[in-house]
Amino acid sequence: MGANSNLYALLEQRFIEAGDQPAFSLPGRAGLSYAGLLERVGRFANALRELGVRPDDRVTVQVEKSLNNVALYLAVMKVGAVYQPLNTAYTTAEVDYFVGDAEPRLIVTDPVRRAAMDDLADKHGVPAVETLDAQGEGSLAELAASMAVAAETAHRGPDDLAGLLYTSGTTGRSKGAMLTHRNLSSNALTLKDLWAFAPGDVLLHALPIFHVHGLYVALNTAFLNRSEIIWLDKFDADQVIAQLPRATLMMGVPTFYTRLLGHAGFSQDVCGNMRLFISGSAPLLADTHRQFEAVTGHKILERYGMTECGMITSNPYDGERVPGTVGFPLPEVSVRIVDGEGRPVAPGEVGMLETNGPNRFKGYWRMPEKTAEEIRPDGFFITGDLASMDEEGRVTIVGRGKDLIISGGFNVYPKEVESELDQLPGVRESAVIGVPHPDFGEAVVAVVTSLPNVVIAEPEVIERLAQRLAKFKVPKRVIQIGELPRNTMGKVQKAELRKQYGDLFSTVA
Ligand code: MCA
Ligand code: AMP
């Protein structure tokens, strides 16, 4: 057997070295040292084994952010199983699909959802359901507390799965991106060096941990550095400003930065200890970049990535951080910009961004045809993002080839929302678009036509959709019109609608 490629084996080594140093500090609450984290992960690993979780089994987790949630994430890797985190905003109808597709051995849910998850477990033959609440309490925590601390770390190969993270599809259902231990380790090791993590760094963590950004990018890099992590349940500008003076770096989506800039208590003074602000998951407006520099003296470091590949490009730590660009391909990561036929375009020209490297996912879970459609025979993944690359290799994302809205860093596929809208009584057709929004970057807006003589009641539509779809996917506005604009081929002209409703939120502060 070769060396153990389990990412947890690498992290565990760092935790042992860190010993009593703080791993997590929680404002106003008890924190956790690295030695404490190590113990907790051991107990959770034993609990998972007790529940019958074996290597390669999936563990579906839809719980609020807590330290026990972190211990669970690490314990799933430790036992060699596959972590499937789900956005806490997903409704039971949405979770139904993820559970049916992933066929987990265990579902971990919030106690308030226990009954609904028990039903789903029955439906899909999932043997075990356990709970963790927002404080990290629940049946799984109780079981873990009764377990021994010592637990073996499973041996994993580089191509074994560590995570199964779902991304919505342009058409059809969500796809599970299979992320391997190599994918996660290579990205974390690269980013730790690229962003110059050093002893003494303190990370302010306010992102959710059910997506790549808050889970893998933020946690794994900080863990590799044995950093203290200031742990906030969610982004709250007051709390962030209160904690910033003790932090040295923060990662966030653009909404974090626009909200900070809009807060009266935000100033250069609170950033006195900071060395790095990182932004990603959605485009950071060049204006926000400049305003932030004017207020704080810091140039936000923007990087670009996606669920399937983790981080792909980054602005330099040392060197020019250019507003509106996402920097250079990471070491060992290849990026090319190609035309419709897959031929490289000239520097500066716009095309589809394709990428390959040790960070590139293994494929879509149980969807070999989708995998073959999106990963070319030479290994390059077709991202769906339109970009250009200059002579030096600096990348600018200029748009999306795929019909995707990114609202506050969360992805929304219009098709999914349109399918739900079209099922509502009285709705004839719908077109869902993203329009500029001062807080979320883009906001979801539905334009609908009705059956004859029907008046669509906006609040009612919003309420009906909220029962089926996660809140962030629910349109902020529903607008009824006579006919959807179409081109001569009969295709709905979304660009026309985006133009027409482009300033819907421009007066919202
Ligand atoms: C909450 N709401 C939203 C969003 N979040 N609506 C649209 N878009 C959103 N992102 C809803 C709430 O349910 C609420 O509805 C209303 O909008 C206002 O909520 P508010 O309290 O203002 O929201 P919040 O709780 O403060 O959350 C906003 C947020 C959050 C802090 C920006 O969405 C967030 O943490 N986003 C980060 C997303 C992220 O981590 N993405 C990484 C993906 P109501 O009032 O009706 O109840 S990973 C990735 O993309 C790749 C790999 C990458 O490159 O990183
Ligand atoms: P996800 O599927 O949630 O991983 O979202 C990935 C998508 O977010 C990418 O395909 C891009 O469209 C977008 N994205 C991530 N980072 C950036 C960025 N810095 N600038 C523009 N778009 C970004």
Side-chain angles (χ1 to χ4, degrees):
M1 226 188 305
N4 192 357
S5 298
N6 190 331
L7 169 61
Y8 187 70
L10 176 64
L11 298 181
E12 189 169 41
Q13 209 41 53
R14 306 289 165 109
F15 296 174
I16 293 168
E17 290 158 14
D20 289 329
Q21 290 168 37
F24 290 96
S25 58
L26 285 68
R29 285 181 279 167
L32 191 65
S33 67
Y34 273 104
L37 180 61
L38 203 56
E39 278 191 24
R40 207 179 284 200
V41 176
R43 290 186 201 280
F44 271 82
N46 284 324
L48 291 174
R49 289 201 171 106
E50 180 83 4
L51 291 163
V53 176
R54 301 285 172 262
D56 296 325
D57 282 347
R58 276 76 56 211
V59 176
T60 302
V61 179
Q62 190 192 29
V63 302
E64 296 297 337
K65 188 176 173 183
S66 71
L67 293 189
N68 278 346
N69 183 184
V70 175
L72 173 60
Y73 149 58
L74 295 169
V76 169
M77 282 202 290
K78 185 172 171 71
V79 303
V82 183
Y83 192 64
Q84 187 202 16
L86 295 180
N87 193 321
T88 47
Y90 291 152
T91 63
T92 304
E94 290 170 307
V95 176
D96 188 351
Y97 169 75
F98 296 120
V99 169
D101 195 56
E103 295 189 304
R105 167 82 214 183
L106 167 68
I107 299 173
V108 185
T109 183
D110 194 281
V112 298
R113 289 181 161 217
R114 171 91 203 219
M117 290 303 126
D118 280 340
D119 290 347
L120 285 191
D122 280 349
K123 178 174 168 190
H124 297 293
V126 180
V129 178
E130 298 292 339
T131 62
L132 282 184
D133 67 14
Q135 282 68 47
E137 305 293 335
S139 65
L140 186 64
E142 281 163 31
L143 181 65
S146 72
M147 293 282 138
V149 167
E152 193 198 330
T153 297
H155 195 280
R156 298 273 80 190
D159 294 323
D160 287 329
L161 301 196
L164 185 61
L165 273 76
Y166 279 68
T167 69
S168 308
T170 316
T171 53
R173 303 312 305 250
S174 290
K175 298 165 285 186
M178 298 190 285
L179 301 175
T180 65
H181 286 274
R182 188 211 320 265
N183 293 155
L184 302 184
S185 305
S186 67
N187 223 224
L189 288 163
T190 297
L191 296 173
K192 174 190 174 291
D193 288 345
L194 199 71
W195 294 339
F197 273 82
D201 263 329
V202 175
L203 174 78
L204 182 51
H205 194 299
L207 285 159
I209 57 166
F210 41 69
H211 281 312
V212 164
H213 196 167
L215 182 68
Y216 296 139
V217 184
L219 284 182
N220 292 347
T221 48
F223 285 156
L224 281 177
N225 193 52
R226 303 178 285 261
S227 269
E228 176 182 344
I229 299 169
I230 302 176
W231 191 244
L232 300 181
D233 296 338
K234 57 175 288 220
F235 180 86
D236 173 281
D238 287 327
Q239 284 197 47
V240 167
I241 290 166
Q243 296 305 318
L244 266 178
R246 231 169 53 70
T248 64
L249 73 159
M250 184 176 89
M251 300 182 195
V253 296
T255 301
F256 284 21
Y257 296 108
T258 49
R259 285 189 182 182
L260 285 174
L261 285 171
H263 194 290
F266 187 62
S267 66
Q268 184 157 26
D269 290 350
V270 295
C271 305
N273 204 26
M274 285 293 290
R275 71 168 181 86
L276 185 59
F277 289 95
I278 300 172
S279 177
S281 308
L284 180 78
L285 296 178
D287 250 9
T288 310
H289 192 283
R290 293 193 193 100
Q291 270 184 42
F292 200 85
E293 188 184 1
V295 172
T296 67
H298 285 274
K299 286 179 193 279
I300 298 172
L301 184 153
E302 184 171 11
R303 66 18 169 219
Y304 155 77
M306 62 193 305
T307 301
E308 286 91 335
C309 299
M311 298 303 97
I312 299 167
T313 72
S314 172
N315 268 281
Y317 183 72
D318 293 314
E320 212 187 337
R321 300 178 197 162
V322 178
T325 77
V326 294
F328 303 95
L330 303 190
E332 292 184 73
V333 173
S334 307
V335 168
R336 67 187 181 202
I337 314 291
V338 301
D339 65 15
E341 272 80 55
R343 288 178 309 230
V345 301
E349 275 180 33
V350 173
M352 175 66 71
L353 191 150
E354 298 187 349
T355 182
N356 196 9
N359 57 328
R360 198 216 67 215
F361 72 130
K362 193 171 174 175
Y364 292 115
W365 174 254
R366 293 181 180 165
M367 288 186 178
E369 307 80 21
K370 283 269 170 233
T371 305
E373 271 169 33
E374 298 191 27
I375 301 180
R376 293 190 185 276
D378 66 358
F380 275 73
F381 172 63
I382 307 167
T383 60
D385 290 311
L386 299 174
S388 65
M389 192 191 251
D390 68 12
E391 302 273 0
E392 277 76 50
R394 191 184 286 274
V395 175
T396 303
I397 306 291
V398 298
R400 297 167 206 133
K402 55 200 174 191
D403 196 10
L404 164 70
I405 300 166
I406 304 183
S407 173
F410 289 139
N411 291 5
V412 182
Y413 279 89
K415 184 94 179 71
E416 189 184 1
V417 185
E418 287 160 4
S419 308
E420 292 293 341
L421 277 165
D422 294 347
Q423 288 173 39
L424 295 181
V427 172
R428 186 157 60 92
E429 292 184 304
S430 62
V432 168
I433 53 170
V435 304
H437 188 276
D439 186 30
F440 294 124
E442 280 185 295
V444 179
V445 168
V447 184
V448 297
T449 65
S450 72
L451 296 173
N453 305 319
V454 176
V455 177
I456 307 272
E458 186 174 19
E460 201 178 303
V461 170
I462 288 176
E463 201 188 308
R464 293 281 289 264
L465 289 183
Q467 288 163 15
R468 301 277 308 165
L469 296 171
K471 258 296 177 45
F472 66 89
K473 298 180 191 170
V474 175
K476 301 284 183 219
R477 289 293 315 273
V478 179
I479 295 159
Q480 181 176 1
I481 60 172
E483 285 296 329
L484 294 178
R486 291 181 188 278
N487 64 15
T488 47
M489 309 289 286
K491 196 170 176 308
V492 175
Q493 289 177 299
K494 288 199 171 177
E496 191 53 46
L497 291 173
R498 277 192 289 267
K499 212 184 312 161
Q500 202 168 335
Y501 297 105
D503 56 5
L504 207 52
F505 299 101
S506 60
T507 52
V508 182

